[in-house]
Amino acid sequence: MMNPQVHFLLNKALESLGNSNLDSAELYLNQASKLQAHNPHVLGLLGIVYTQRGNYPDALKFLNDSLRILPKNPLTLSNLGNVYASLKNFENAIEFYKKSIKVNPNYVEAWSNVGNALQEIDCFEEAITHYDKALSLRPDFAEAWSNKGNALQALKRFEEAVIHYDKALSLNPNYAEAWSNKGNALQELKRLDEAIAHYDKALSLKPSYLKGYIGKGNTLVELKRFEEAVIYYDKALEFKPDYAEAHSAKGNALYELKLFDAAIDHHNKALKLKPDYAAGWINKGVTVNELGDYDEAIVCFSQALNLKPDVFWVDGYLIHAKMKICNWSELSTHLESISEKIMGNQKVIRPFALLSLVDDPVLHKKAAHTYVQYYFSSNSELGSIPKYSKKERLRIAYFSPDFRTHPVSHLTSELFELHDRSRFEVIAFSLQKTPPGDQMNVRLRNVFDHFIEVNQLSDLEVAKLARHLEIDIAIDLAGHTQHSRGGIFSYRAAPIQVNWLGYPGTTGIKFIDYLVADRTIIPISEQHMYSEKIAHLPNTYMVDDSKRTPSDRIFTREECGLPRNRFIYCCFNNDFKFNPFILDCWARILLATQNSVLWISENNRNFQKNILAEFENRDIEPSRIIFAGRVDSMGDYLARYRLADLFLDTYPYGAHTTAIDSLKAGVPILTLMGQSFASRVAASLLNTIGLGELITFSQEEYEALAIDFAMAPNKLEDVKLKLRDNLQITPLFNTSLFAKNLEAIYLKMYDHYQLDLEPNHISCD
């Protein structure tokens, strides 16, 4: 029988615990322990006190002591589960919760706690079954309704999650956590204004609720209101200066504001506070990668992968950063793993990074589909788009983050000028703020009928604006490249939505209707490998500005560091397009042509160091690899090409704008045509300019022809003469003809729409 005084002290301790007065509770329990040293209830409550203090070793000691005396006490078993959950030992936590349930199958809190622990180890479906059991025992258990909503949200069942949060709030309207959790689900559903209102309600009920500040900050980021987001992350940090997640989130907002040094400072603070924070390592990696510190980015992405091997997209971040500095260690192993994960629908690599790794349009489509399903599933908030009445002048809008000094704008600027204004009204939606004084941006602002800056608008707001303007055809010039905004098109910004030029592959998006290509890029027999319907242009899908011409400047080999009497192979492609396969080819070519050198872009310092080492491993002297520095003048840049004899294309991601540049400067390009869009662009250009003999279809043919040109200069001179003649008479650089063909494609798309026909493969031949 319990001592009456001990009973009194236990009740006082329970009362103190209820008021969160741990000091008083501990005092009463210590007094009770002196009266009855081995009372299991006293020991169990001491365990709870130490758990709440965060003193887990003592909490475990007292709870285990209590359990030895009273081994089938469900409360003690459950409290042991709580300690292990606090220690993030969720397997042990689940074990003790289940032991508690075995003793008392009607222990509602234990059923719910099992669900909580299962969520922590990503067993969301199993967690839901445990919440359902808890709710069958106590239908008015608001916490279980909210936590089940969290599990549903983790499974991307956001509409169902909202229903569960609403049930929790009907039971407890002052449940701040449920208001905030519902805000998270609304954010995922892109109901961003509603999400903000729910975070505000949560914070009005619980001003110190950290997750509410983080949630509102994240939603403000979605709304492109980055400065305001920083304010809310700072509010969270006022309450908890050591809140790692808030530092990392603030770092992300500062990144969007291009305050990179400040962003890195906050990412470092987050990781110092929480070194095992995988998402924090990724966030820092993305930031240092943007600054060109690829070695540091590799360290960050590797650390994230070590901490959480299944963290989304990090495999792709890591391999792309390594490709940028020609760090090809374990490349084949990485590629095999990534390919398997893509086919298993895992979120392993973003579509753009995959293009330079594999020549497989099926794999490209699969990766793109997985990516867009995660980020850009169709949003229904605006409802179906109304049918617009037929116009005399179609409203076409080009969406791009690159209306500035950028390859996409170099290629398209004249096209925008040449569009027939009697039939088309041409609008620009600029997705990124451009640095002041950018001359290309100045030119483009005067080219379009309307130039609209939307960088500070959310995807939903941009889509609403496009609908308000009754845009007939929306052309996405970015696809899955940096700073693209696929979410805009998920709201159906226009009745006809088109992928063209900026991204060489399928978007994998069902709400992008057409992909503009040509029959070299995508033969009719391969149209099924793309999610869009194919709009075939008659020549090449690429355009160029005919005003972009080489200057009259005569460069000498000496001033560019090139030997006077050697054959000059060149390749001015981006760093990530280089790989062991193409270097093996080039090394064999150089070894067979001892009087040759290879002239390549300098890219970045580590790229230079590593690629020289790779060539040395293939018996090529470093002196035979020469790096081309940056030339600011476009005319001089093109004129410098003329020092080269032959451009060697990369594979599988070949030259695109650089191929246009080479041909325009009169330098032939030798390409190895593969199966994917990215590997066929140079072939498309060569067919259009009448130089199909420079297209090869195997590694052996590619190498043999490259060697042959160096060993037989007269043969190459014949090709150069043909190129010079064809520059004037073939369609490749006829921008006016290209504009007419592209407009014919747009009109066919529009006719299909006006006839209420579904998008279908079309051409303007």
Side-chain angles (χ1 to χ4, degrees):
M1 176 178 283
M2 187 181 297
N3 182 317
Q5 194 170 353
V6 171
H7 189 270
F8 170 78
L9 291 168
L10 278 172
N11 284 334
K12 296 296 289 182
L14 284 168
E15 183 181 328
S16 297
L17 277 173
N19 294 324
S20 300
N21 190 334
L22 299 181
D23 290 337
S24 293
E26 186 176 6
L27 181 64
Y28 289 126
L29 291 168
N30 284 333
Q31 291 174 4
S33 183
K34 290 176 183 177
L35 294 170
Q36 193 172 2
H38 300 295
N39 186 300
H41 305 292
V42 173
L43 294 169
L45 286 177
L46 279 168
I48 293 173
V49 168
Y50 285 115
T51 300
Q52 293 188 17
R53 286 192 188 283
N55 182 347
Y56 301 121
D58 282 347
L60 288 171
K61 174 185 177 302
F62 283 109
L63 289 169
N64 280 313
D65 286 346
S66 173
L67 206 60
R68 276 189 284 274
I69 300 165
L70 199 62
K72 291 189 176 181
N73 186 332
L75 179 61
T76 305
L77 289 164
S78 183
N79 285 331
L80 274 166
N82 293 341
V83 176
Y84 283 115
S86 298
L87 290 166
K88 300 192 181 304
N89 186 338
F90 299 111
E91 287 78 6
N92 274 9
I94 291 167
E95 178 187 346
F96 279 97
Y97 291 140
K98 287 187 174 180
K99 284 181 179 179
S100 175
I101 290 167
K102 189 173 182 181
V103 176
N104 179 7
N106 295 323
Y107 194 173
V108 176
E109 288 80 3
W111 282 104
S112 183
N113 285 338
V114 173
N116 297 341
L118 286 166
Q119 282 208 68
E120 294 288 352
I121 58 174
D122 297 342
C123 295
F124 302 111
E125 295 283 5
E126 192 178 350
I128 287 170
T129 64
H130 285 76
Y131 293 130
D132 285 341
K133 180 63 178 179
L135 291 168
S136 71
L137 294 166
R138 192 197 297 171
D140 62 350
F141 191 7
E143 186 178 342
W145 284 105
S146 183
N147 288 337
K148 183 182 174 185
N150 293 344
L152 290 164
Q153 191 168 173
L155 293 168
K156 301 183 79 66
R157 293 157 59 181
F158 301 117
E159 298 283 3
E160 292 176 73
V162 167
I163 293 169
H164 282 72
Y165 296 134
D166 283 341
K167 182 65 177 177
L169 291 168
S170 72
L171 294 165
N172 181 3
N174 296 322
Y175 190 178
E177 290 80 359
W179 283 103
S180 183
N181 291 339
K182 184 180 174 186
N184 295 340
L186 292 168
Q187 181 191 153
E188 293 288 351
L189 291 167
K190 307 302 180 187
R191 293 158 58 181
L192 301 179
D193 290 336
E194 290 179 72
I196 292 285
H198 279 71
Y199 293 126
D200 286 342
K201 179 65 175 179
L203 292 168
S204 71
L205 292 167
K206 192 174 180 179
S208 63
Y209 188 48
L210 301 176
K211 289 184 178 179
Y213 290 112
I214 294 295
K216 183 169 182 181
N218 292 344
T219 306
L220 289 166
V221 166
E222 286 276 315
L223 289 164
K224 311 299 178 187
R225 291 155 58 181
F226 303 117
E227 292 91 346
E228 289 179 71
V230 168
I231 292 170
Y232 279 86
Y233 297 137
D234 282 340
K235 285 179 183 279
L237 290 167
E238 285 176 21
F239 285 103
K240 187 175 170 58
D242 61 349
Y243 192 4
E245 288 81 355
H247 280 293
S248 191
K250 182 178 177 182
N252 290 344
L254 292 167
Y255 169 91
E256 295 291 348
L257 292 166
K258 302 192 184 306
L259 300 171
F260 299 119
D261 290 339
I264 290 171
D265 181 53
H266 280 277
H267 290 317
N268 285 336
K269 287 178 181 177
L271 294 169
K272 185 176 181 180
L273 291 164
K274 193 174 180 181
D276 62 346
Y277 184 28
W281 285 105
I282 294 174
N283 293 337
K284 180 182 176 182
V286 168
T287 306
V288 296
N289 187 80
E290 180 72 17
L291 293 173
D293 189 349
Y294 303 118
D295 277 333
E296 181 66 14
I298 289 166
V299 169
C300 293
F301 297 141
S302 297
Q303 185 68 6
L305 200 57
N306 289 335
L307 289 167
K308 193 173 181 183
D310 60 348
V311 66
F312 293 169
W313 317 119
V314 72
D315 300 74
Y317 283 135
L318 175 60
I319 200 168
H320 195 61
K322 292 177 76 172
M323 294 296 288
K324 290 184 77 66
I325 61 169
C326 295
N327 178 344
W328 301 326
S329 58
E330 301 180 325
L331 179 59
S332 59
T333 303
H334 286 318
L335 287 180
E336 185 177 341
S337 171
I338 284 172
S339 297
E340 287 178 3
K341 290 178 179 179
I342 291 170
M343 296 311 295
N345 299 311
Q346 294 185 48
K347 301 164 190 67
V348 62
I349 188 169
R350 292 170 183 250
F352 179 77
L354 186 64
L355 299 181
S356 61
L357 300 174
V358 295
D359 181 36
D360 186 344
V362 173
L363 210 59
H364 293 167
K365 181 179 180 181
K366 184 78 171 172
H369 180 72
T370 298
Y371 179 76
V372 300
Q373 282 291 105
Y374 183 76
Y375 281 110
F376 306 125
S377 54
S378 296
N379 292 306
S380 58
E381 183 155 343
L382 294 182
S384 59
I385 194 164
K387 181 71 179 281
Y388 298 155
S389 58
K390 191 166 185 176
K391 302 183 182 75
E392 288 299 313
R393 294 175 73 211
L394 269 66
R395 276 194 196 122
I396 60 174
Y398 291 94
F399 292 71
S400 177
D402 301 318
F403 290 131
R404 54 189 171 87
T405 302
H406 183 277
V408 168
S409 290
H410 289 319
L411 297 174
T412 54
S413 51
E414 187 181 16
L415 166 71
F416 303 141
E417 293 172 343
L418 291 173
H419 272 312
D420 182 353
R421 290 323 201 261
S422 69
R423 305 179 77 183
F424 297 92
E425 184 178 357
V426 188
I427 300 167
F429 280 73
S430 180
L431 307 179
Q432 276 279 302
K433 189 174 182 179
T434 303
D438 185 281
Q439 291 305 303
M440 177 60 75
N441 183 258
V442 172
R443 176 184 175 184
L444 292 174
R445 286 174 180 274
N446 294 319
V447 163
F448 287 98
D449 298 314
H450 307 282
F451 190 95
I452 306 171
E453 295 190 87
V454 295
N455 57 290
Q456 292 187 309
L457 300 182
S458 70
D459 292 346
L460 176 61
E461 289 169 330
V462 177
K464 282 182 177 177
L465 177 59
R467 288 195 182 193
H468 174 73
L469 295 172
E470 291 194 4
I471 300 300
D472 295 300
I473 304 177
I475 303 102
D476 181 10
L477 292 173
H480 293 310
T481 58
Q482 191 178 32
H483 306 306
S484 60
R485 299 274 298 273
I488 293 169
F489 307 100
S490 71
Y491 291 103
R492 184 55 73 170
I496 304 166
Q497 302 191 138
V498 180
N499 167 27
W500 176 54
L501 192 64
Y503 180 73
T506 184
T507 58
I509 304 174
K510 63 183 178 182
F511 43 80
I512 297 293
D513 305 300
Y514 294 98
L515 168 58
V516 177
D518 58 63
R519 287 195 172 90
T520 300
I521 298 285
I522 305 175
I524 291 174
S525 61
E526 296 178 13
Q527 291 176 157
H528 65 282
M529 296 180 180
Y530 298 81
S531 62
E532 306 89 345
K533 297 301 181 185
I534 307 305
H536 277 128
L537 288 169
N539 301 302
T540 180
Y541 88 110
M542 282 193 85
V543 67
D544 187 42
D545 176 4
S546 65
K547 300 172 186 175
R548 199 171 64 94
T549 56
S551 70
D552 294 330
R553 180 175 171 183
I554 309 278
F555 283 87
T556 66
R557 288 192 170 192
E558 287 79 6
E559 70 181 294
C560 295
L562 296 167
R564 184 175 299 178
N565 298 314
R566 297 272 192 107
F567 187 91
I568 309 295
Y569 294 111
C570 76
C571 181
F572 300 135
N573 288 354
N574 279 324
D575 39 36
F576 61 86
K577 296 183 181 182
F578 292 72
N579 56 55
F581 170 82
I582 205 66
L583 236 66
D584 287 342
C585 291
W586 291 350
R588 286 189 288 266
I589 292 166
L590 291 170
L591 288 170
T593 57
Q594 288 297 319
N595 196 42
S596 67
V597 296
L598 178 62
W599 191 25
I600 59 178
S601 295
E602 62 183 0
N603 288 305
N604 63 78
R605 185 175 299 173
N606 284 339
F607 165 87
Q608 295 172 37
K609 179 185 71 175
N610 290 340
I611 203 164
L612 286 177
E614 290 289 344
F615 272 116
E616 281 197 89
N617 290 338
R618 293 164 174 81
D619 299 322
I620 303 299
E621 290 290 329
S623 61
R624 297 184 67 189
I625 309 303
I626 299 162
F627 296 104
R630 181 177 175 82
V631 177
D632 290 327
S633 161
M634 174 58 69
D636 288 351
Y637 162 76
L638 292 171
R640 188 181 64 173
Y641 262 89
R642 293 169 173 160
L643 295 175
D645 294 299
L646 180 67
F647 191 117
L648 295 177
D649 201 5
T650 47
Y651 171 90
Y653 197 147
H656 294 186
T657 306
T658 48
I660 284 268
D661 296 342
S662 186
L663 293 171
K664 175 172 276 195
V667 178
I669 178 169
L670 178 65
T671 193
L672 172 56
M673 181 169 134
Q675 299 303 309
S676 60
F677 193 128
S679 73
R680 292 180 167 188
V681 173
S684 168
L685 303 177
L686 289 166
N687 278 333
T688 304
I689 205 167
L691 289 173
E693 62 266 33
L694 294 176
I695 303 169
T696 66
F697 300 92
S698 70
Q699 163 247 314
E700 292 82 6
E701 186 185 1
Y702 175 85
E703 293 175 21
L705 197 52
I707 293 166
D708 192 26
F709 280 131
M711 303 300 284
N714 291 339
K715 184 173 181 179
L716 181 62
E717 190 58 34
D718 289 341
V719 173
K720 286 187 174 182
L721 288 171
K722 184 178 179 183
L723 170 58
R724 194 175 310 148
D725 292 341
N726 288 1
L727 283 170
Q728 309 304 318
I729 60 174
T730 59
L732 181 57
F733 295 107
N734 188 335
T735 314
S736 177
L737 175 62
F738 184 94
K740 289 182 173 63
N741 289 333
L742 187 63
E743 289 172 353
I745 282 286
Y746 290 160
L747 290 168
K748 281 204 172 186
M749 294 174 184
Y750 190 65
D751 288 343
H752 269 70
Y753 166 67
Q754 286 298 330
L755 293 169
D756 295 322
L757 298 173
E758 291 295 316
N760 205 348
H761 304 300
I762 57 175
S763 70
C764 65
D765 296 295

